[in-house]
Amino acid sequence: MGKTSGRAAGFIEANGTSFYYEACGEGEPLLLIHGLNLDTRMWAEQLSAFSERYRVISFDLRGMGQTPNAEEPFTLYDDARAVLQGLGLAAAHVVGHSFGSVVAQELVLAYPEMVKSLVLVSPTLTGYPRSERRMQDFARFVEIYETGTKEETVEMSARMWFDGPGQAARDESQQARAKYLQMTAHAYDLPQLKNPPLWLAPPPIERLEEIAVPTLVIAGQKDYEDFQKMAEELEARIPNAEKILLPDSAHLPPMDQAPVFNRIVLSFLEQARQ
């Protein structure tokens, strides 16, 4: 483990694997959970901005980034809990992006005492039907994955998720887009998970009304239609939830609209603390 000027990075041994984490800042804990095939690097702009007021922790989900796979069965919510406990933290504000929003939902339902507030970004509801456009694009993605190069596969992923369906790449987001490509390329070099997680039962989609903490839902207007609909359902069914739609974002608001995203989240967290 290394530590410099309030910054720490290292590994937490728990649940049969070694979770890579980064932490910085002082104050109330704020846990950031990344999306599928991404890693802690997606939160670079948030680590610097949020650490001025909070103790910010991000970690790599197992099988992604620098966290290895493991053979034995596991749950996502116990993995998130293990990271917090490994750092000696009893509770935290939690931000989950996409697949990471599933982890956040499961965590708050399994261990409600550990979550102070919830930010669900481009959120997913397990079991929610996919839109026709996403199914079509995913079929094309699978075709490229099976017959094309890794570079073509990664570029198709960026078109779907970073740019948004049918959207052109934006000049002002090229640096963030390049980082997305780098993370996604790294993900395709890693071994695939041999066993999927054991999902929380009953699943969050059946229990949203149980979530009792202040909740912010953030969606991108350039994202797939089903993700916007899932955001609407989360806002409607979670008590004390509010939703913000970002007109210039697709699926990666923390990266493609970092300054706007950071202001929104910091404002919400300040209200949630009152």
Side-chain angles (χ1 to χ4, degrees):
M1 181 185 302
K3 186 172 183 179
T4 307
S5 300
R7 286 185 173 267
F11 291 87
I12 295 169
E13 304 290 333
N15 298 351
T17 190
S18 301
F19 294 99
Y20 175 75
Y21 79 93
E22 297 179 1
C24 60
E26 301 293 338
E28 291 188 23
L30 173 59
L31 180 68
L32 310 178
I33 309 175
H34 65 79
L36 189 67
N37 288 335
L38 301 173
D39 55 56
T40 55
R41 288 174 288 179
M42 76 161 285
W43 300 115
E45 297 295 327
Q46 285 69 52
L47 282 171
S48 58
F50 296 168
S51 62
E52 296 180 6
R53 306 183 194 180
Y54 297 91
R55 181 64 174 168
V56 186
I57 304 104
S58 64
F59 73 102
D60 291 341
L61 296 166
R62 68 172 69 217
M64 305 180 213
Q66 298 184 56
T67 299
N69 288 329
E71 297 291 337
E72 60 267 23
F74 70 97
T75 64
L76 297 163
Y77 53 91
D78 280 319
D79 283 353
R81 176 175 180 252
V83 170
L84 290 175
Q85 290 183 328
L87 295 172
L89 301 173
H93 302 278
V94 178
V95 179
H97 168 256
S98 193
F99 183 74
S101 78
V102 178
V103 185
Q105 292 167 54
E106 291 196 337
L107 178 65
V108 73
L109 289 168
Y111 304 110
E113 73 283 356
M114 300 194 74
V115 179
K116 296 182 176 184
S117 70
L118 200 59
V119 181
L120 304 175
V121 188
S122 304
T124 295
L125 277 170
T126 304
Y128 198 91
R130 295 182 180 182
S131 64
E132 182 177 350
R133 177 63 185 268
R134 183 152 73 109
M135 289 191 292
Q136 292 173 349
D137 286 355
F138 184 71
R140 174 60 179 155
F141 172 83
V142 171
E143 179 183 352
I144 293 173
Y145 178 80
E146 293 177 345
T147 64
T149 65
K150 185 179 80 169
E151 289 74 19
E152 291 171 331
T153 303
V154 170
E155 176 61 25
M156 181 62 185
S157 176
R159 291 177 185 174
M160 292 175 64
W161 302 115
F162 193 92
D163 304 334
Q167 301 291 325
R170 299 183 294 280
D171 291 340
E172 64 272 20
S173 302
Q174 286 304 309
Q175 186 174 355
R177 193 180 194 273
K179 182 178 288 185
Y180 175 88
L181 292 171
Q182 184 182 34
M183 284 187 287
T184 306
H186 173 70
Y188 289 123
D189 287 335
L190 297 172
Q192 292 187 347
L193 278 175
K194 295 182 179 179
N195 54 320
L198 300 175
W199 303 105
L200 182 68
I205 196 170
E206 299 178 13
R207 304 173 58 186
L208 297 178
E209 290 79 6
E210 297 177 30
I211 297 175
V213 297
T215 301
L216 174 65
V217 180
I218 300 176
Q221 194 167 4
K222 294 183 178 180
D223 203 352
Y224 287 96
E225 180 185 9
D226 47 326
F227 281 96
Q228 296 182 43
K229 288 184 175 179
M230 284 185 278
E232 292 173 0
E233 181 159 349
L234 287 160
E235 179 192 27
R237 292 180 53 199
I238 297 175
N240 301 317
E242 61 176 305
K243 177 177 69 72
I244 293 179
L245 186 66
L246 299 182
D248 296 324
S249 280
H251 200 66
L252 275 297
M255 298 185 69
D256 70 12
Q257 294 280 293
V260 174
F261 176 84
N262 293 349
R263 286 196 299 271
I264 290 170
V265 173
L266 285 172
S267 176
F268 166 77
L269 290 173
E270 288 303 304
Q271 294 178 25
R273 292 172 59 188
Q274 295 176 2

